[in-house]
Amino acid sequence: MGNEQEPMDIEGLIRFYAEAGVDSLLSDEPVDRFAETAKPKPAPQPRAEAASTRQSSDAATPPPPAQTPRPAAPAAAAPRTIVPDEAQVAIAREAASTAATLEELRERLAAFDGCNLKFTAKNMCFSDGDPTSDIMFIGEAPGRDEDMEGRPFVGRSGQLLNRMIAAIGLERQQVYIANTIPWRPPGNRTPTPLETELCRPFIERQIELADPKVLVALGGPAAKALTGAPEGILRLRGNWKTHTTPSGKVIPVMPTLHPAYLLRSPAQKRFAWRDFLSVKMKLRELG
């Protein structure tokens, strides 16, 4: 009775496998892992024989070819410094210097194709007001409204400038207004140094032909273009500087805050008012 084999509980075995996480079979035939481990292992290879085997194998394998040293990669070239196109600047200088009148200068500026701003702007903003006036206001570049009308300072900044001019007893028609850059930069961005250099001969000749007694630089870029001063406008404003024309004439320059800046910072208007009073006194001194 005790030698009889008990029947296998298949249902219980399957339940055990399920509880253990077995959900699929790897083979249809059972594998006896105990029998596999009971098989005798192969005898280890003697060290001498293994060494000779490695030597014969190494002798049969040709040695790898000697690697020739690679030439050193050339050093990266230093970035090229962007400089103004001297040829175009020379053309601009020649065209501007030979203009005998302001109208002729306007025509030559309109015919000048060396500055790319010309091809993105709608209109050229050459000047506005009285070219025979004793005072000349110079800004940086036209904005959207100026580009549409072809005249400098006609937008909100221009309306504020008109009131500032009236505060010292003058009208817009009694002063001369221009820009260092006659074409609007796309998106009202800051003109590049190249664009400034290309337009510089024209504004310098425009000043020379207009021959004002006093120049008023509206904003930092215009002040730097006219005087060459490196300081920012907040340090420059209120301090008389000079501009020397190509013919050698020295004209006093008053750097002051740009009307667009005053629209954003109304508290700074008192400083611009002081600058304009100084301009009014300078005009009286010069007669």
Side-chain angles (χ1 to χ4, degrees):
M1 180 101 178
N3 294 331
E4 293 182 1
Q5 187 176 4
E6 295 181 0
M8 181 179 295
D9 186 3
I10 301 298
E11 182 179 354
L13 181 62
I14 294 176
R15 188 182 304 108
F16 167 76
Y17 284 154
E19 293 175 354
V22 177
D23 57 1
S24 61
L25 299 177
L26 297 180
S27 175
D28 293 335
E29 299 294 333
V31 179
D32 189 352
R33 301 298 180 185
F34 296 100
E36 287 185 354
T37 56
K39 291 180 181 180
K41 297 182 179 180
Q45 188 179 16
R47 293 186 178 181
E49 182 182 351
S52 62
T53 303
R54 284 197 303 269
Q55 289 176 0
S56 60
S57 176
D58 294 343
T61 305
Q67 295 183 355
T68 57
R70 295 183 179 179
R80 182 181 176 184
T81 304
I82 299 177
V83 296
D85 187 336
E86 293 298 336
Q88 291 297 332
V89 173
I91 293 174
R93 191 178 296 114
E94 176 67 18
S97 62
T98 55
T101 64
L102 287 171
E103 185 57 34
E104 186 177 352
L105 181 66
R106 177 198 289 266
E107 293 174 357
R108 297 196 177 187
L109 179 59
F112 179 65
D113 293 337
C115 184
N116 289 334
L117 294 179
K118 173 182 178 179
F119 304 104
T120 57
K122 293 184 178 297
N123 291 293
M124 181 183 73
C125 299
F126 183 72
S127 66
D128 194 28
D130 183 7
T132 65
S133 175
D134 291 338
I135 182 172
M136 183 175 180
F137 293 86
I138 300 179
E140 179 186 14
R144 177 183 177 278
D145 295 325
E146 289 75 15
D147 185 37
M148 296 294 292
E149 294 192 26
R151 294 189 300 133
F153 287 95
V154 294
R156 293 184 61 218
S157 297
Q159 295 172 9
L160 177 56
L161 178 61
N162 294 344
R163 295 195 295 270
M164 295 167 68
I165 293 173
I168 58 174
L170 296 172
E171 298 294 333
R172 182 185 177 97
Q173 295 77 13
Q174 297 176 298
V175 303
Y176 193 46
I177 306 174
N179 282 314
T180 57
I181 307 291
W183 297 288
R184 180 198 181 196
N188 286 350
R189 65 165 173 78
T190 301
T192 65
L194 172 58
E195 292 163 351
T196 301
E197 289 303 312
L198 288 169
C199 297
R200 183 188 299 277
F202 293 100
I203 187 60
E204 289 182 344
R205 184 58 176 164
Q206 190 172 359
I207 294 171
E208 191 171 37
L209 292 173
D211 194 23
K213 294 181 179 179
V214 173
L215 290 169
V216 179
L218 300 170
K224 291 180 180 180
L226 296 179
T227 68
E231 297 87 359
I233 189 59
L234 295 180
R235 290 191 176 186
L236 280 177
R237 60 139 300 272
N239 300 298
W240 283 102
K241 301 293 181 180
T242 59
H243 170 75
T244 304
T245 66
S247 62
K249 183 177 180 179
V250 178
I251 303 176
V253 180
M254 170 54 70
T256 190
L257 304 173
H258 196 283
Y261 173 78
L262 298 177
L263 289 173
R264 298 191 301 267
S265 307
Q268 305 296 322
K269 289 182 180 180
R270 64 184 186 276
F271 297 115
W273 168 241
R274 295 174 188 174
D275 299 342
F276 271 63
L277 287 180
S278 182
V279 170
K280 183 177 181 178
M281 294 176 61
K282 177 66 74 174
L283 287 172
R284 288 180 180 177
E285 291 175 6
L286 298 175

